[in-house]
Amino acid sequence: MRLFVLFFAVVILYTTASAKDIKIFESDYYNRLKVKYAKDRYMAVMIDDGIPAVSIQKSVVDFAIGLLGIRYRFGGETIWGMDCSAFVQKVYSMAGIYLPRTARYQAKYGMYVSREDLQPGDLLFFRTYARFPSHVGIYIGEGKMIHASSAGKRIMISNIDKDFYLRNFLFAKRLFLYDPEEITDEK
């Protein structure tokens, strides 16, 4: 077990260090904006140029698969146990994209995507214990998502067409990278 943990820690350190550092939500530029409208616009407007690139999407899925089997723990944020939103936050941060901690706030970012247009790396939001998004998973293709499941007690892959997920599905979002120079006039 110790060997596995050591190997896992080395993999996370290597992948985190080698990922491009793309701060889209808490950048110095964003923090310099004074007007709430400019901040909201910075977070909401996407550049329609094919971003996220296939490499970012592939990285997100690869990082997510690397965390398979970690125990589910509500409120957990470590390799000893994590919940769904901590899992998503960790995976995206490994790819260099920084998201808020909870599913409810993660759901505020990105562009809505229909179920028919899902691509690997898209976020899937569900209602479980509340009306607002309270569960999140990462779409990996072929009708499957990877998520930290409280029912399965671990990070696992599930079919999104299962009755539970169909009944509780709220929406899907695709994260884009932002170019602050093109989406705000504030200097």
Side-chain angles (χ1 to χ4, degrees):
M1 179 68 173
R2 287 184 184 180
L3 182 59
F4 169 76
V5 172
L6 179 61
F7 171 76
F8 185 78
V10 169
V11 168
I12 287 181
L13 288 173
Y14 174 76
T15 54
T16 304
S18 65
K20 284 197 320 191
D21 193 25
I22 307 166
K23 288 195 172 193
I24 58 174
F25 302 123
E26 295 184 81
S27 70
D28 290 337
Y29 181 87
Y30 174 81
N31 291 330
R32 282 195 314 262
L33 295 174
K34 303 287 186 235
V35 180
K36 183 180 179 336
Y37 172 78
K39 286 187 173 200
D40 290 345
R41 189 167 178 222
Y42 176 79
M43 289 190 297
V45 178
M46 264 64 67
I47 301 165
D48 188 17
D49 62 354
I51 296 173
V54 174
S55 63
I56 292 289
Q57 291 171 309
K58 181 173 177 359
S59 294
V60 165
V61 171
D62 289 347
F63 293 141
I65 289 172
L67 300 177
L68 271 172
I70 291 177
R71 281 185 332 134
Y72 173 86
R73 193 173 111 223
F74 185 77
E77 300 180 18
T78 70
I79 61 169
W80 304 113
M82 59 179 68
D83 62 18
C84 63
S85 57
F87 166 67
V88 167
Q89 183 184 46
K90 171 59 91 182
V91 167
Y92 270 87
S93 72
M94 290 167 67
I97 299 171
Y98 299 89
L99 292 170
R101 171 61 180 85
T102 66
R104 186 176 193 171
Y105 290 106
Q106 290 171 357
K108 294 184 178 198
Y109 297 95
M111 178 181 76
Y112 288 100
V113 179
S114 70
R115 281 178 57 98
E116 296 78 30
D117 294 326
L118 287 172
Q119 293 179 12
D122 290 345
L123 297 179
L124 305 169
F125 292 94
F126 303 87
R127 68 175 165 260
T128 53
Y129 60 84
R131 288 188 176 171
F132 56 80
S134 51
H135 184 65
V136 60
I138 300 171
Y139 186 71
I140 60 172
E142 299 180 13
K144 297 187 181 343
M145 73 170 164
I146 186 168
H147 61 125
S149 170
S150 60
K153 298 183 172 49
R154 68 189 190 292
I155 294 174
M156 59 188 282
I157 295 174
S158 298
N159 187 326
I160 65 171
D161 292 324
K162 286 177 101 173
D163 186 50
F164 175 81
Y165 298 117
L166 287 172
R167 276 183 304 151
N168 294 294
F169 179 74
L170 292 172
F171 52 83
K173 290 276 194 103
R174 180 168 303 141
L175 296 180
F176 284 77
L177 306 180
Y178 299 89
D179 180 352
E181 299 303 322
E182 289 193 26
I183 61 174
T184 183
D185 296 329
E186 187 168 305
K187 301 287 182 223

